[in-house]
Each structure stands twice: as C-alpha cells, then as structure tokens.
C-alpha cells in the first residue's frame, strides 16, 4: 500500500474547502448562480435530451445517429450527468448487448459486445471488441476504465467494424470522444459524497483567450474507502483513489483550418477488488489433484478441510468479510497526448462539392503495478502481481490521415490511412536480454543471474524436506524443480510484445434514390507482431514473510536446463495481412401511419 495515500483529516478538509471556493468563484464569474437561474431553463428532462439530435462519427465522418444503417448506441455527456455515470463502465448499464466489466483484479477491464470480446492482462492476447479514445486504439485490458470527466459522448458500435476501425473489432467498438474547447466561456463544478467514504469533485473551466484561440481545463479527484473488511489484518479493503487532469486547446487560424491539441494525466492508487474465498471452486486443480488435495500434499493432511472452515467463518461474519493475509494494491499511471489538424474546403474544390482533410497524431503510455490475493484467506496460497519500478507497461503511438468528400448530392466518400505502434512490457525484457546475450539458450553450460522483475505468482507453498516441521511453522521454500521440493512457485515471468500495424481503407455512400442507399467499403491491414517470453520458478523464496507477497531476491544460476525443468523460454514473430470488404443496402421508409421515419438494411 502506498503511504502517500494516508492524508490527515485536516489536510483533506483544506483541500475540500479549496475545491468549494474555486467552484464558487467559477460559478459567480460565469453568472450562473443558482439563486438567479430561470426555473424554466433548468427543467431540461432526460426525455428531452434523449430525443435531441445526436451527431456521431461511426463512419469516420459526422452524421446524425438516426440516419445510419448501423447498430449504434450513443450517450452524451449531458445524459451521463443526469444518469449519474461517472466512469465509462457505468454506461453499459444503459446500453443493450454491451458489457463493460472488471476482473477480480482491480483495473483489469473486460469489453464484450454481443458476446464477443473479453480481456486478459497478458499482452500477447488480443480481444474481439476494441476501445478507442479520440480515434486512438487501446490494445490492452489493463489500466481500468477512464473517468467520464469532460467526455462529449460515448458511441458503442455493435457488430464488425473492421473496414473503418481496423483489427480486433469483430464484436464491435467503444468509441470515446472528448469535449473540445468552445468559443464561449463556461465552467462547472460537481461535488458528491456517499457511503463508505465516497467523496469526489470535478472542476471544468472553458476559456476563450481570443476569438480564435480557446482552452478547456478539467480536474477530478475521486475517493472511496471500499466496503470489504479484512478481519485478519483488521483493515478496510477495496478502496479507490483516482486523480485526473486534462487540458485541451483549439486554434482557428482561418475559416478553413482547425487545430486541436490535448494532454491528459491520471493516477490511480487503488486496492485490489474485494471478495470471499468461498468463490474458489473446491474441485479446481489448484486445490484438488487426482483425488487428493494439493493443500494436503503441500501443507499437511487435513489442510483442505481447515481451509473450508476458514472460508465458512468469513461467510458467516458477513457478505463483505474476508481474512486475506496480504495488503494488496493496484497502481496505474496514464498519460495521453493528441494533435489534430483539420482543413475544410467549405465549398467546391476541383471536381468535388466539398472536401475535408484531417491529420491526427496520438500517444498513450500506461504503467500498471499491482498485487492481488486471489484466495482471500489467511494462508499465502494464491497471489499474483508485478515487480519492478515500471510493473507492466504499455506504450502506443497512432497516426492517421483522413479524406472526406462529397462528389455530388448522391455520392459521399471517406479514404484514409492509419498507422499504429505498440510496445508492451511486463518485466522490461531485462532477464530475457541477459539470458540471450550470455549465449545460454544454446549452451547448457552457461548460467546467468536475473533481477526479479515482471509477473510474480505466489502459489501453494510446500513443506521443506528434512526439517521435521509442518507449515506454517516451517518456512516456505521452493527448490526449483528438484525432486521432492519443487514448485509450484513462487513463479516469475517476463512477457514482451511489439506490434506494428498499417491500414488503408475506403468507404463510399451512394444514394440510388430517395428510398435506397448503397454503401461499399474495403480495408487492407498488415500487422507485424513479435514477442519474447521467459518464465521460471524461483529458489529459496519465502513471500509469506512479506505482506505484499513479493520476493526481494536475485535469481541465480538460470540456465537452459534450469528453464527446461522449471519453466520455459520462447520467442516468435509473424506478419499478418487481410483484405476486408463490406457492402450494405438501405431502404428508407416513407413517413406515414404510425412511423414518422425508419429504415431497414
């Protein structure tokens, strides 16, 4: 647990007073004091907002949601404010066929659309539904869901979107669009408090510096104490602490050109998700093997039944009580930068009635450092986490050039090229590079020492031979595969993934008549992927003495024979390419009867 999280009540009171004072100043300066508001202007209902025209970019150009032959759900920032949606995942409660969930490890997300998708912390895995922020693809499930701070709208595109959005969107895509700076002064302050120590504040300031240059600034602080109680360590668990800041700028040098830039930072200092150990499957391989419990073999005869008694006692104490032996945490640091330039002809250019050219560049970096107790009981039998100064990190770059035009009243088109680059490291590739540089992969006589970084598994401890003691009185020792004293674990590993992708795409919409519309599209994608992986059991490690579960040791004598006995070492790379076409025909219904408008496609 991060000691920086423990702030005195007096300091917190001063922070909240500062937020309240800033809010009062902003509201006063914008002339929006509640006492002076016109009652008729503040009776905007959710029904009114739901019926308003919603502009979306599902086909990479701005269009009315109701005119699109696609299965799309969109929710605006105003609607989210009314519904009390403060995190992106909460939006899925209002959108059918979409699940935005979190694994039992905090900040490990799951995106599922129409039953396709998922999420997994290993960067080797990819998923069938994607998430985008201002057009930047998010390839990892780690980092958690972002706050709805200064979000203009969320678009959920159900069904395959590969032609316009690229890879890994067979189930669909979640498209998040942030709010851009506006020409008029605006400000807002939101403060909320709730049970279990929930307290949050958001402040937004939109400021026009001139008639051509605008800025928008937003800050959020959101805290929650959690509702689980660890009766073993006598502490509350499941807390959340998120800080986020965003700044965006818009410059209009002339009537044709729009320049946008933004920077966003967020920091999460959370606890692991709470739970109870009755959720463990009592016939799972971890606990039972070939008719006899692994706990009985590795601890002492009857340990399985003692474990069940401990779990049952937690359940009897309440729905949100456990006896975890660990102090867990989930630390996430994110930063994102975007640049965009859009040129609009605002009229005919050459043979075209109108042409818009957009160039975008984006960058995102995320670090994820965590430790989770997966058994929630007072024995160190199943924990997992990351070690190292950067934990597991993901760095992505995106570049896109987009052409949108109207060739006539009947024909509209979109052409584009997209480049994406990803580096995902769990362990910084340190041990792998040391191992390869030494020549150990081809020479069994060479061994190396490796720093303990990357992914750390704490599994069922074993009873050391020759001590004449039963665990937990005997120390936990793992002899790395040696007969009578081997695993499972503590197990350590590094996974490194590099991905470079390029896509060229086009989409055309042709109005055959007032009633019929034809859409055609095609995309060519090339994907270069490579990865390194090295995993091994540690020796002489006793994480049970450390409440955070990690071993502070250097692994010694790592050789190819050692890896053959205790883990594995491999690497692979390949290039994939695909041409993905699409075709759609739409019939627009004639107004009449009970329908004012409608379509089938």
């Amino acid at each position: 647990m991060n000691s920086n999280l423990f702030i005195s009540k007096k300091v917190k009171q001063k922070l909240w007073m500062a937020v309240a004072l800033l809010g009062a100043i902003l509201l006063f300066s914008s002339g929006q004091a509640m006492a002076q508001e016109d009652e008729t202007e503040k009776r905007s209902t959710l029904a009114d907002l739901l019926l308003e025209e919603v502009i979306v970019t599902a086909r990479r150009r701005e269009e009315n949601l109701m005119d699109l032959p696609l299965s799309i759900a969109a929710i605006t920032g105003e609607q989210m404010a009314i519904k009390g949606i403060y995190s992106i995942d909460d939006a899925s409660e209002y959108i059918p066929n979409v699940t935005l969930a979190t694994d039992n490890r905090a900040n490990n997300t799951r995106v599922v659309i129409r039953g396709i998708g998922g999420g997994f912390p290993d960067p080797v895995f990819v998923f069938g539904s994607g998430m985008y922020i201002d057009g930047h693809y998010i390839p990892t499930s780690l980092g958690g869901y972002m706050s709805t701070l200064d979000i203009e709208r969320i678009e959920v595109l159900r069904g395959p979107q590969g032609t316009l959005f690229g890879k890994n969107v067979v189930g669909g895509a979640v498209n998040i669009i942030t709010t851009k700076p506006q020409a008029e002064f605006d400000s807002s302050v939101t403060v909320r408090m709730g049970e279990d120590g929930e307290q949050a504040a958001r402040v937004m300031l939109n400021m026009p510096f001139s008639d051509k240059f605008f800025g928008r600034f937003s800050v959020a602080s959101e805290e929650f104490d959690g509702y689980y109680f660890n009766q073993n360590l006598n502490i509350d668990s499941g807390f959340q602490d998120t800080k986020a800041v965003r700044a965006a700028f818009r410059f209009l040098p002339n009537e044709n050109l729009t320049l946008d830039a933004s920077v966003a930072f967020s920091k999460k200092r959370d606890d692991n998700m709470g739970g109870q150990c009755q959720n463990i499957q009592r016939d799972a391989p971890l606990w039972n093997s070939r008719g006899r419990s692994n706990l009985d073999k590795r601890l002492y005869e009857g340990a399985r039944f003692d474990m069940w008694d401990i779990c049952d006692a937690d359940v009897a104490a309440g729905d949100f009580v456990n006896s975890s032996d660990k102090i867990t945490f989930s630390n996430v640091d994110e930063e994102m930068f975007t640049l965009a330039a859009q040129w609009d002809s605002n009229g005919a250019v050459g043979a075209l009635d109108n042409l818009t050219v957009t160039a975008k560049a984006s960058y995102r970096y995320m670090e994820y450092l965590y430790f989770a107790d997966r058994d929630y009981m007072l024995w160190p039998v199943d924990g997992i986490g990351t070690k190292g100064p950067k934990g597991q990190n993901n760095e992505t770059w995106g570049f896109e050039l987009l052409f949108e035009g109207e060739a006539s009243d009947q024909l509209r088109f979109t052409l584009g090229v997209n480049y994406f680059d990803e580096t995902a490291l769990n362990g910084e590739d340190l041990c792998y590079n040391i191992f390869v540089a030494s020549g150990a992969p081809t020479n069994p006589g060479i061994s190396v020492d490796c720093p303990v970084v990357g992914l750390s598994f704490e599994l069922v401890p074993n009873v050391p031979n020759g001590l004449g003691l039963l665990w937990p009185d005997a120390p936990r020792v793992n002899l790395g595969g040696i007969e009578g004293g081997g695993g499972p674990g503590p197990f350590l590993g590094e996974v490194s993934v590099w991905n470079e992708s390029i896509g060229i795409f086009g989409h055309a919409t042709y109005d055959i008549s007032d009633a019929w519309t034809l859409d055609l599209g095609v995309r060519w994608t090339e994907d270069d992927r490579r990865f390194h992986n090295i995993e091994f059991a540690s020796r002489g490690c006793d994480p049970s003495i450390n409440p955070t579960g990690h071993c502070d040791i250097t692994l010694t004598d790592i050789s190819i024979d050692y890896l053959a006995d205790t883990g594995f070492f491999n690497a692979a790379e390949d290039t994939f390419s695909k041409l993905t076409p699409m075709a759609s025909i739409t019939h627009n219904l004639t107004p009449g009867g009970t329908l004012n408008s409608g379509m089938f496609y």
Side-chain angles (χ1 to χ4, degrees):
M1 186 170 299
N2 193 326
S3 60
N4 294 330
L5 294 178
F6 296 99
I7 305 174
S8 68
K9 291 184 178 180
K10 186 175 294 185
V11 173
K12 281 190 175 183
Q13 289 174 351
K14 291 182 178 180
L15 289 174
W16 283 103
M17 290 175 63
V19 169
L21 179 60
L22 177 59
I25 293 173
L26 291 176
L27 289 176
F28 177 78
S29 62
S30 62
Q32 295 177 352
M34 291 187 63
Q36 299 175 348
E37 283 187 350
D38 185 347
E39 288 297 322
T40 61
E41 291 182 357
K42 64 177 185 178
R43 290 178 180 175
S44 176
T45 65
L46 178 58
D48 295 331
L49 289 170
L50 291 175
L51 291 173
E52 72 180 4
E53 180 179 286
V54 177
I55 301 299
V56 296
T57 53
R59 297 197 296 192
R60 311 308 296 273
R61 57 180 181 262
E62 293 188 349
E63 298 175 284
N64 187 345
L65 172 64
M66 301 303 295
D67 295 337
L68 291 180
L70 297 169
S71 179
I72 306 173
I75 184 167
T76 67
E78 288 181 304
Q79 293 168 357
M80 287 187 283
I82 290 177
K83 292 172 181 285
I85 297 174
Y86 298 106
S87 179
I88 295 295
D89 53 318
D90 294 335
S92 66
E93 297 181 10
Y94 301 90
I95 302 175
N97 300 322
V98 177
T99 301
L100 304 178
T102 302
D103 185 45
N104 63 332
R105 272 170 269 172
N107 298 314
N108 190 355
T109 62
R110 299 286 184 268
V111 178
V112 179
I113 302 175
R114 289 182 172 175
I116 299 175
F120 196 77
D122 193 324
V124 173
F125 290 82
V126 294
F127 321 107
S129 292
M131 181 172 288
Y132 295 79
I133 301 175
D134 288 335
H136 185 91
Y137 175 55
I138 308 300
T140 177
S141 65
L142 298 179
Y145 294 103
M146 64 184 293
S147 166
T148 56
L149 176 70
D150 238 12
I151 298 297
E152 179 181 315
R153 67 183 182 276
I154 302 172
E155 303 171 0
V156 177
L157 288 59
R158 292 175 290 234
Q161 306 294 327
T163 302
L164 289 173
F165 281 84
K167 59 184 182 178
N168 305 328
V169 284
V170 176
V174 178
N175 194 21
I176 301 167
I177 293 89
T178 61
T179 306
K180 305 303 184 290
Q182 305 299 314
E184 297 181 357
F185 181 88
D186 191 14
S187 63
S188 67
V189 176
T190 302
V191 178
R192 71 181 193 274
M193 303 186 74
E195 296 179 337
D196 300 310
E198 181 182 13
Q199 51 186 12
R202 293 182 177 184
V203 178
M204 183 279 295
L205 174 64
N206 188 97
M207 180 176 293
F209 298 105
S210 70
D211 59 349
K212 293 186 177 182
F213 183 49
F214 327 128
R216 190 177 183 94
F217 311 93
S218 51
V219 179
S221 174
E222 300 173 343
E223 299 178 12
F224 176 60
D225 290 343
Y227 49 82
Y228 273 88
F229 177 69
N230 184 333
Q231 61 180 356
N232 177 38
L233 299 178
N234 194 31
I235 59 173
D236 292 328
S237 62
F239 66 84
Q240 299 174 4
D241 187 350
T242 300
K243 302 292 186 292
V245 59
R246 181 176 181 270
F249 303 92
R250 169 163 283 187
F251 179 47
L252 306 175
N254 56 56
E255 63 180 9
N256 300 98
L257 187 61
T258 301
L259 302 178
D260 284 302
S262 69
V263 56
F265 301 93
S266 69
K267 176 178 288 188
K268 298 182 180 182
R269 292 297 180 264
D270 300 342
D271 193 4
N272 187 48
M273 303 287 284
Q276 288 184 309
C277 61
Q278 92 276 11
N279 293 324
I280 296 173
Q281 296 180 8
R282 295 184 175 182
D283 59 350
L286 180 61
W287 311 111
N288 293 282
S289 177
R290 296 180 182 176
R292 187 183 179 205
S293 168
N294 267 327
L295 291 181
D296 289 350
K297 290 192 296 184
R298 298 200 174 277
L299 303 182
Y300 56 86
E301 198 69 37
R304 171 177 51 173
F305 299 104
D306 287 349
M307 179 201 74
W308 292 353
D309 289 341
I310 295 172
C311 292
D312 291 342
D314 285 345
V315 175
D319 292 336
F320 305 106
V321 175
N322 62 45
S323 294
S324 173
D325 63 307
K326 300 301 181 188
I327 298 176
T328 65
F329 60 91
S330 177
N331 297 345
V332 179
D333 293 297
E334 293 184 74
E335 57 188 56
M336 186 169 180
F337 305 89
T338 64
L339 291 172
Q342 184 178 83
W343 178 83
D344 192 331
S345 66
N346 290 322
V349 52
L352 301 177
D353 291 347
N354 193 78
L355 177 66
T356 300
V357 182
T358 305
K360 294 181 179 180
S362 52
Y363 171 82
R364 178 179 179 268
Y365 179 74
M366 183 276 303
E367 287 184 4
Y368 180 65
L369 188 64
Y370 77 102
F371 183 74
D373 187 10
R374 295 193 291 188
D375 56 274
Y376 299 108
M377 58 179 284
L378 53 82
W379 291 346
V381 294
D382 189 13
I384 186 172
T386 51
K387 271 195 65 68
K390 295 185 177 181
Q392 187 167 341
N393 57 81
N394 183 277
E395 183 178 49
T396 53
W397 295 84
F399 302 93
E400 185 171 81
L401 184 62
L402 201 63
F403 299 86
E404 306 165 57
E406 296 179 12
S408 67
D409 291 340
Q410 293 176 282
L411 179 61
R412 299 170 297 282
F413 67 88
T414 299
L415 299 173
V417 58
N418 179 276
Y419 173 82
F420 179 78
D421 182 85
E422 174 192 10
T423 298
L425 303 177
N426 191 352
E428 296 299 295
D429 220 27
L430 294 177
C431 192
Y432 183 92
N433 289 334
I434 293 172
F435 192 70
V436 171
S438 70
T442 58
N443 189 338
I446 297 178
S447 62
V448 299
D449 299 342
C450 283
V452 181
V453 295
L455 190 62
S456 170
F457 292 88
E458 178 195 88
L459 300 178
V460 183
N462 61 294
V463 179
N465 292 336
L467 294 180
L469 298 172
L470 294 177
W471 186 88
D473 296 322
R476 172 177 174 164
V477 176
N478 178 63
L479 301 180
I482 297 176
E483 183 68 25
F491 209 70
L492 305 164
E494 291 181 358
V495 181
S496 303
V497 175
W498 295 266
N499 175 218
E500 188 177 35
S501 180
I502 187 169
I504 301 173
F505 56 92
H507 183 102
T509 300
Y510 181 71
D511 295 327
I512 302 172
S513 66
D514 291 340
W516 293 93
T517 300
L518 175 67
D519 283 279
L520 297 173
V522 65
R523 184 188 188 98
W524 175 81
T525 302
E526 184 174 272
D527 209 33
D528 291 321
R529 294 183 66 85
R530 62 188 178 97
F531 83 94
H532 296 157
N533 191 25
I534 184 169
E535 297 185 11
F536 38 78
S538 65
R539 299 176 178 177
C541 175
D542 184 4
S544 61
I545 65 175
N546 186 343
T548 61
H550 290 302
C551 301
D552 296 320
I553 63 172
T554 296
L555 297 168
T556 59
D557 298 328
I558 307 298
S559 65
I560 195 68
D561 289 341
Y562 171 81
L563 288 175
D565 290 337
T566 67
F568 57 87
F569 163 85
N570 58 10
E573 59 182 294
D574 206 345
T575 299
F576 308 88
S577 61
K578 188 73 172 179
L579 190 69
T580 52
M582 67 81 63
S584 171
I585 187 76
T586 303
H587 178 61
N588 298 295
L589 302 179
T590 302
T594 59
L595 291 176
N596 290 325
S597 64
M599 69 174 67
F600 65 82
Y601 58 91

